[in-house]
C-alpha cells in the first residue's frame, strides 16, 4: 500500500517485487517457485484514511488473484462496486451454507478417447439463490474459499455425490468413476481424513471408484504435510487426480513422488491447440510425461472435433468438455448413462 501519485515508480517497484519473488528457491534439495499478487492503492483525497487505503489495496490484490495471480493491479472505483457485489454474495452464501439450501450438483461426463465409452464423471456444484438468481461458480467458490465456508460446503458436496452414486448403483446404472473436487482449504482441514472416512464407511460404494481432484498448487502449498495427507487418502483406496495441471509452478521431483492416478491438462492449453504449436507441444509433453509416470491423462475443455482428434493422435486417455457433454442435472445425467 502506498500514498504517493508517481505511478511509473510504483509500477517499477511492483515489477521488481514480482521478479524477485519469482526466483527459484532451494528447500531440502527441492526447487520451489513462488508467485505473488499485488494490490496498489493511491491516495486521491487528502482525507483518505489509512484504513480506506488498506481496504482498496486489498480489493485490488483480490482482483489480481481472480485475474490469474502473479500480477499487480491498481485499485479502481469499479473494484469498489465489485467488492460490494461480493459482500452481497458472501452474506447470501453464509445463509445458504448455514441452511444448506438452494445448492445442487451437476455431473459432467468424461469420455475414454480411445474406446468412446463413458470413463466417469465430475460432480460440480451450482447455486441458485432466491434473491441473487444463478450465481456463477467463479463468483462464489472464491468467496467460499476465502471465508472458510468451502469446508462445510465441500463436505456437503462429498456426501451428496456419494449418495447419488449409490442411487445409480442401486438402479443398475454403470458409472466407472466419480470425481469430487477437494479445495486447498479443505485439504488443510484437520478434520478432513476423519470426515471422509466416516462418509466412506457409511456407503457401499467401492472407494476405488471415487476420484479426488486436487489442484497442483493446493498440493504444492505445504509439500511435507500435503504428502502425508495424500498418502492417508490413498490408504483409504481413493483415486487421486491432479487438476489444472501445467498452470502452477511445481517441482517435477515432487510430482514424480505423488501417489496420483491421473493428470488433468488445464483447458487453457486446449482452447487454441488447433492453431498454436506451443499449446500442442506443451500438451503433448504433458501426455508423454504422464504416461512415463504411469498416470492416465485427461484433457479439460474439449469443445471441437478438431481438438479431440489432435488429442487422440497424441495418445491422450480421456477428455472432458462441451464437445462430449455439458454438466447435467442428476436426472439428465442418469438418462445420459442409460442411453
Amino acid at each position: 500500500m502506498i500514498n504517493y501519485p508517481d505511478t511509473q515508480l510504483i509500477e517499477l517497484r511492483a515489477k521488481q517485487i514480482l521478479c524477485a519473488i519469482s526466483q527459484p528457491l532451494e528447500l531440502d534439495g527441492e526447487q520451489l517457485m513462488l508467485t505473488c499478487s499485488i494490490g496498489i492503492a493511491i491516495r486521491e483525497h487528502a482525507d483518505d484514511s489509512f484504513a480506506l487505503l488498506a481496504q482498496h489495496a486489498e480489493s485490488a490484490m483480490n482482483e489480481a488473484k481472480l485475474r490469474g495471480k502473479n500480477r499487480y493491479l491498481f485499485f479502481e472505483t469499479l473494484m469498489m462496486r465489485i467488492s460490494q457485489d461480493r459482500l452481497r454474495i458472501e452474506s447470501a452464501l453464509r445463509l445458504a451454507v448455514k441452511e444448506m439450501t438452494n445448492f445442487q450438483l451437476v455431473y459432467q461426463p468424461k469420455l475414454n478417447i480411445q474406446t468412446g465409452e463413458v470413463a466417469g464423471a465430475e460432480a460440480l456444484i451450482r447455486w441458485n439463490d432466491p434473491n441473487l438468481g444463478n450465481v456463477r461458480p467463479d463468483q462464489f467458490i472464491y468467496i467460499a474459499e476465502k471465508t472458510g465456508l468451502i469446508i462445510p460446503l465441500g463436505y456437503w458436496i462429498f456426501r451428496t455425490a456419494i449418495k447419488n452414486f449409490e442411487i445409480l448403483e442401486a438402479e443398475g446404472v454403470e458409472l466407472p468413476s466419480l470425481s469430487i473436487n477437494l479445495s486447498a482449504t479443505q485439504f488443510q482441514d484437520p478434520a478432513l481424513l476423519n470426515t471422509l472416512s466416516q462418509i466412506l464407511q457409511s456407503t457401499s460404494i467401492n472407494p476405488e471408484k471415487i476420484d479426488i481432484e486436487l489442484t497442483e498448487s493446493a498440493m504444492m502449498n505445504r509439500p511435507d504435510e500435503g504428502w502425508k495427507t495424500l498418502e492417508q487418502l490413498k490408504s483409504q483406496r481413493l483415486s487421486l487426480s491432479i487438476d489444472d495441471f501445467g498452470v502452477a509452478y511445481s517441482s517435477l521431483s515432487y510430482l514424480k513422488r505423488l501417489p496420483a492416478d491421473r493428470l488433468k491438462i488445464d483447458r487453457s492449453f486446449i482452447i487454441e491447440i488447433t492453431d498454436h504449436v506451443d499449446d500442442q507441444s506443451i500438451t503433448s509433453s504433458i501426455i508423454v510425461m504422464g504416461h512415463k509416470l504411469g498416470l492416465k491423462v485427461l484433457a479439460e475443455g474439449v469443445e471441437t472435433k478438431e481438438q479431440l482428434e489432435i488429442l487422440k493422435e497424441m495418445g491422450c486417455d480421456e477428455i472432458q468438455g462441451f464437445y462430449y457433454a455439458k454438466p447435467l442435472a442428476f436426472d439428465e445425467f442418469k438418462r445420459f448413462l442409460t442411453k
Side-chain angles (χ1 to χ4, degrees):
M1 187 189 69
I2 51 177
N3 61 358
Y4 52 89
D6 188 347
T7 56
Q8 289 186 338
L9 179 59
I10 294 168
E11 287 194 80
L12 175 61
R13 293 290 183 264
K15 290 176 181 177
Q16 288 173 337
I17 292 170
L18 289 174
C19 181
I21 290 179
S22 68
Q23 299 304 308
L25 296 175
E26 290 289 336
L27 181 62
D28 295 333
E30 300 281 346
Q31 189 177 82
L32 301 178
M33 302 291 290
L34 301 179
T35 64
C36 75
S37 300
I38 302 173
I40 304 169
I42 298 175
R43 172 177 272 175
E44 297 179 354
H45 307 287
D47 59 349
D48 283 349
S49 67
F50 181 89
L52 180 64
L53 283 172
Q55 179 184 350
H56 288 180
E58 183 179 12
S59 295
M61 180 190 67
N62 290 334
E63 189 63 26
K65 291 180 180 178
L66 289 175
R67 294 187 187 185
K69 302 182 180 180
N70 198 35
R71 65 186 66 207
Y72 64 88
L73 205 61
F74 285 87
F75 176 82
E76 299 169 359
T77 305
L78 173 62
M79 287 183 192
M80 182 58 74
R81 291 200 293 271
I82 293 173
S83 297
Q84 290 169 348
D85 289 341
R86 287 184 187 144
L87 283 175
R88 286 195 292 271
I89 293 174
E90 180 180 335
S91 178
L93 184 62
R94 287 186 182 279
L95 179 61
V97 171
K98 180 180 179 180
E99 300 178 351
M100 216 50 86
T101 56
N102 304 313
F103 296 112
Q104 74 167 130
L105 294 185
V106 294
Y107 300 83
Q108 186 167 34
K110 301 175 183 179
L111 172 74
N112 182 314
I113 200 171
Q114 304 300 330
T115 67
E117 298 175 343
V118 175
E122 179 180 0
L124 302 165
I125 190 167
R126 296 293 183 264
W127 177 31
N128 186 2
D129 184 79
N131 298 314
L132 300 176
N134 286 311
V135 186
R136 299 194 316 270
D138 63 346
Q139 290 178 303
F140 74 87
I141 293 295
Y142 167 77
I143 295 173
E145 282 268 7
K146 184 178 177 183
T147 58
L149 293 170
I150 195 67
I151 292 179
L153 186 57
Y155 292 140
W156 178 88
I157 293 171
F158 200 89
R159 289 188 183 94
T160 305
I162 295 292
K163 180 180 178 181
N164 286 341
F165 201 170
E166 282 187 310
I167 292 173
L168 292 177
E169 291 212 335
E171 296 181 5
V173 180
E174 177 64 25
L175 179 63
S177 71
L178 179 63
S179 296
I180 304 173
N181 290 282
L182 197 65
S183 75
T185 305
Q186 275 183 286
F187 188 56
Q188 297 175 23
D189 179 25
L192 172 68
L193 296 169
N194 285 337
T195 304
L196 295 192
S197 178
Q198 290 172 10
I199 296 172
L200 292 171
Q201 289 174 10
S202 68
T203 180
S204 59
I205 299 295
N206 181 353
E208 294 176 359
K209 289 188 173 184
I210 304 300
D211 181 45
I212 299 296
E213 292 196 8
L214 267 167
T215 62
E216 189 181 2
S217 56
M219 287 184 283
M220 293 299 299
N221 192 28
R222 301 168 73 181
D224 292 335
E225 294 178 21
W227 174 262
K228 295 176 183 177
T229 302
L230 292 174
E231 287 286 3
Q232 288 172 306
L233 287 173
K234 290 296 292 182
S235 71
Q236 297 188 38
R237 297 166 50 214
L238 294 163
S239 296
L240 175 66
S241 288
I242 303 175
D243 198 9
D244 298 340
F245 186 79
V247 299
Y249 297 97
S250 66
S251 164
L252 292 180
S253 61
Y254 181 74
L255 174 64
K256 71 181 183 181
R257 296 170 50 224
L258 285 175
D261 302 282
R262 180 181 286 102
L263 294 181
K264 295 187 71 174
I265 304 174
D266 186 73
R267 65 181 67 246
S268 62
F269 299 115
I270 307 301
I271 293 173
E272 297 181 328
I273 195 173
T274 56
D275 302 314
H276 288 70
V277 175
D278 288 347
D279 287 332
Q280 292 178 15
S281 298
I282 292 170
T283 301
S284 178
S285 297
I286 293 174
I287 292 170
V288 170
M289 180 185 67
H291 288 166
K292 289 286 187 181
L293 294 173
L295 309 175
K296 288 187 176 181
V297 182
L298 179 147
E300 299 179 290
V302 178
E303 298 183 355
T304 68
K305 184 177 180 180
E306 291 75 17
Q307 291 170 341
L308 182 144
E309 292 300 331
I310 289 175
L311 291 164
K312 186 174 183 179
E313 187 175 323
M314 290 179 176
C316 188
D317 302 294
E318 299 168 356
I319 64 163
Q320 181 179 358
F322 280 21
Y323 176 75
Y324 181 48
K326 64 178 183 179
L328 304 169
F330 182 63
D331 288 340
E332 291 180 283
F333 177 58
K334 188 162 56 173
R335 287 194 293 271
F336 176 89
L337 292 175
T338 55
K339 287 182 180 179

